[in-house]
Structure formats: structure tokens, C-alpha cells
Amino acid sequence: MDKIKNYIDGILTTPYSNNYFNNFDPSTGGVFTMIPDSGAEDVELAVSAAERAFPAWSATSVEERYDLLMSIARLLKERLEKFALAESMDNGKPLKLARTVDIPRAIKNFEFFSNAITQFSSEAHSTDNVAINYTLRQPLGIVGAISPWNLPLYLFTWKVAPALAAGNCVIAKPSEVTPLTAYLLSELFIEAGFPQGVFNVIHGYGHTAGKAIVSHPQIKAVTFTGGTRTGKDIAAIAAPMFKKLSLELGGKNPTVIFADCNYEQMLETTVRSSFTNQGEICLCGSRILVERSIYEKFRKDFTEKVKALRVGDPLLEETDTGAIVSKQHFDKIMYHISLAVNEGGRVLCGGKAARLPGRCSGGWFIEPTVIENLPYNCRTNLEEIFGPVVTLMPFDTEEQAIGISNSTEYGLASILWTENLTRAHRIAAELKSGIVWINCWMLRDLRTPFGGVKNSGVGREGGLEALRFFTEPKNVCIKLN
Ligand code: NAD
């Protein structure tokens, strides 16, 4: 059985405890690799390595960092197929999705931030004729990066690339549910000739390895993507230590559909925004609000299309939705489906586990599920399920649609379908979320601020926001006379 290794001080290494735990392939239910059970000792070693590396790394020129990060992008491009297969086996997502979305986006993250740092500049403020102020933006030192399992390499590199580009050393922990591509990435850092100790990867559980990163006094900032409850635990440790924090948390995103939308485009995109990656994307729309005049038509057309989605072996080209990432998450989603039924929900399609023959007979699959007849304020419509489950709700007025959209504790993304331009702008301003997509979904420009409001997070990632997060501004004031 292959053992995944930590990457500390430029070397692939075993965990201090010498203990490992199982890594499952969700499409078969079988164990296919072993994960280091790391803890505070491993984090300590990584921090020491990063402390040694930081003076030289933070003094490298922008061109040197650009070259090194671009060589990671190039190596990833060469190994795209290997990484896509690893991601699909680890997460259960369709291989074709990993090949066309996850790994290409990880490549883009390195390309984007190696370019972005060459364009990064700081401000100057002239104070009448008395003084001139300029802002130095210096790297923070050692930063911690903790990422989730749903878009493993995509989100891992979304943090690592800007942190390194800005001149920091990084201690990163991928999700213990999907650690494989982060491990393979550390091999590329060796191949690219990255200086030792600049980038370190610690594998293991959140409550041990993750917590050791968050609570280490030499780690000056923590960038985290994951669940809201975990974000709260992290903030409780990091905030009193006055660490810089970026928290990208859960969501319960509304898709709001008006009768005047481009119906065909809306229908096709809403199937995607509901069920891509088994609905395990923080940006998926899980509450679908439909203007009453087209509710019956939409329900019929949508359900028909969802029934046609092929749940199957992630390795097959024809598969639309793959396996649920873990048995634990599978059980959580099934619980939520039964809760929805107990709350009075009517299941229009799906609602049960999908049984696959052959290779995948032991895997964790759930049929794409559409539920209606639930009040907007029941648990099903308030709590994040993070799986292939959506609810349908009719609405009568714009005010009602906005009210329902804003009625959860979350505020990550909203999706709006209307051809009425003034209404689109009006509602976009009213929706309490960090991102609003109008007549589209997952159209991403990496320069834009990315993040949520309310319990969906604190801070923004992307473009200059990320480079600002990973640098400390220092004002220098020079008196002119
Ligand atoms: P999770 O919070 O369980 O785990 C995320 C990471 O945090 C993992 O690496 C885990 O090991 C680590 N962790 C857990 N407990 C920790 C602790 N006490 N201290 C430090 N680290 C700890 O989340 P998950 O189940 O992996 O991911 C799903 C969640 O992520 C969903 O809620 C989803 O909405 C959210 N998510 C948000 C975004 C976003 O951009 N806002 C993107 C993707 C996923």
C-alpha cells in the first residue's frame, strides 16, 4: 500500500509518530493509500525549516519567484493526466471534471499569481507640502494554509501560490480526506528545485495537525477554507494570538429564477450549478427559487433533466456525477434527505443511494435529488448539505425572493436569472452574499475578490486581495523640509 509522505525542509518524510491512517477511494469503498498521522512535532520541524528559509526566500527577486512558480505550472501541465486521475480516485469526482476543471485551475493559480506579483505595487500619499508617505508591502513570514476536500488541489494551490509569490514561507495542510494531489505537488517542488523549507506540506487530521498549525506562535497568518464550525474553532485560537485570518466557509446559495430569463440557458446552467461535483462545491446553488408563473414548467423540465444525469464510475467518460467523498459525508447527506421528508418535503427525483455494479459496487453514490414543498425556514432550507440535493420553492414578488435568499446564516454566492437589466442590478445590490452571478454560474476571473459575508467567511481571496493578505503594509513617512 502506498504511503503518502510529509514534505518538510525540501525532503519527503515520514510522520514523527510513524502512524498512518486509511485513505479511501470513494468510488469503490476500498483503501488505496495511507496518510501520515502528523502532529505538533511535525509542524515544529516544518516551522524550523521555514524560519531558516525565510531570510533568503523573502529576499529573492520577483523574477526568481516568477520563474520558480511558473516551473511548477509547467510541470503540472506535463503531469495533468496523472494528477487528474489521482484527484478523481481520492475525491470520487468524474475524471473528466478533474481533467478539465480541477487540475487546469491549479495550473492557472500558479500562472496567475506568478504574473500578479510582477504587477503588484503599493501606495504613496503626499501630505500637502509637508511629507510624503509610501507603503512598503513586506511578506508576513511563515503562513499556514488549510484546505478542504471538495476541490482539493484547486483550493490548496489558490492559497499556496499567492503566499509564495508574496515571499512567504508556507506550512500547508490539505484535507485528510483528499491528500493525494498535495503530496504529488510536493514532488514537483523538489523537481523544480525550490529552495528547502520554503514550502512544507503536513498531512493529518484537523484536530491534531491542523490545530498545531493554527496555534503555532511563529505562524503569523492562517488562510483557511472549510466548514463554518471549523472556521469558528480556528478563529477562537488564532484571534487572541492576533494572527491575520482569512476564512472561506460554508454556504447555502440561492438560485433565483425569474419568468423573463433566457429559459434554455437557465435550465442547462441550473442543472450544472446544482449537481456539478456531486453538489460538493461551496458555490453550488442548493435552494432554487422560481417565479410562480413558470414554477410548474420549470419543475417538470428540471426534474426530467436531472433524472437523465448519469451517476456512475468516475473513471468513465459518460459519467455526470461520481461518488460522494466519504462514507461519513454520504451518511450526512442521506440523513438530510430523510430530514427533508420528515419536514414534509416531496421528493421529485432521486432521494436514495445509487447502487452501481462491478468495480463500484462498494462505493458511495447518491442519486441527484430534487425536493419541493418545504418552507423557506425549515432546517433543510437553512442548513448546508453539500451534496447532490436541491430544493425548489415558488415565489411571487421580487421582495419575497430577496427575503428568502437572505434568510440563512450564510452569504457566499447567489445566482440570478433575469433578462431585466434594472431588476438584475437592483437585486444584486440587495443580496447578502460575497458573489452574485447574473445569468451564469462559476464564471471566474481570478482578479476579482472572492469570499463570503455572514457565516460564510471573513476576508477575500483572489487577485490583489490575496497579495494584500499575504503582505504586511508598513507606512514610511518622510518629512520634506
Ligand atoms: P472541514 O472544516 O471539516 O475541513 C477543512 C480543513 O480543515 C481540513 O484540512 C481539516 O483537516 C481542517 N481542520 C478540521 N478541524 C480543524 C481544526 N480544529 N483546526 C485546524 N484545521 C482543522 O471542511 P471540509 O468538510 O473539508 O469541507 C467542506 C466545507 O468547506 C463545506 O462547509 C464547504 O462549504 C466549505 N468550502 C468553502 C469554500 C469557500 O470558498 N467558502 C470552498 C470550498 C469548501
Side-chain angles (χ1 to χ4, degrees), residues 182-199:
Y183 166 56
L184 296 176
L185 184 74
S186 52
E187 292 183 337
L188 299 191
F189 273 73
I190 297 174
E191 197 173 333
F194 242 80
Q196 291 179 348
V198 169
F199 174 56

Side-chain angles (χ1 to χ4, degrees), residues 5 16 28 84 210 213 241 249 262 278 284 297 299 324 327 334 351 421 432:
K5 289 190 170 136
Y16 182 85
T28 65
I213 291 173
M241 297 176 82
L249 310 175
N262 178 328
Q278 302 72 247
C284 279
K297 177 175 168 51
R299 175 175 63 172
I324 301 301
K327 174 71 168 65
M334 293 308 291
L421 185 66
K432 292 191 173 31

